[in-house]
Amino acid sequence: MANHKSALKRIRSNRAKQLRNKYQHKTTRNAVRDLRAATEKKDAEEMFTKVISMLDKLAKKNIIHKNKASNLKSKLTKHVAAL
């Protein structure tokens, strides 16, 4: 266990950040799943802009790698265009 006050605070803040990152990542994964399941082009296009924004934010905060975000955006773009 930590011996210093600052180390205890670091443990608390790391846990809070971990929970926040996990929530954002899971929310984005669910949004990607819903977009892939969409069958209506109009609905998919509306969801597409939101999902792209979510992926960019995750990549910016280093929750996911920027190349992973780019690959997902590319695949989702093809999917929406094919509807």
Side-chain angles (χ1 to χ4, degrees):
M1 192 61 193
N3 292 322
H4 295 280
K5 208 171 183 181
S6 60
L8 292 170
K9 181 178 179 181
R10 175 59 51 202
I11 290 169
R12 287 195 311 271
S13 64
N14 283 345
R15 179 69 178 149
K17 289 175 188 177
Q18 178 189 13
L19 291 173
R20 187 180 321 117
N21 290 343
K22 188 175 181 182
Y23 171 78
Q24 291 172 344
H25 193 190
K26 185 68 172 176
T27 304
T28 304
R29 281 196 310 242
N30 289 340
V32 169
R33 185 191 64 209
D34 293 342
L35 178 57
R36 285 190 176 134
T39 56
E40 297 291 324
K41 187 169 180 86
K42 185 176 180 183
D43 295 336
E45 287 175 346
E46 289 176 9
M47 292 184 347
F48 179 69
T49 56
K50 293 176 185 172
V51 171
I52 294 300
S53 175
M54 293 168 90
L55 288 169
D56 286 337
K57 286 177 186 174
L58 289 182
K60 182 179 179 182
K61 295 176 183 176
N62 290 322
I63 297 172
I64 61 172
H65 196 273
K66 63 179 182 175
N67 290 353
K68 180 178 177 72
S70 180
N71 287 336
L72 284 170
K73 287 173 10 182
S74 174
K75 289 176 184 176
L76 291 173
T77 304
K78 288 180 183 178
H79 173 71
V80 171
L83 290 178

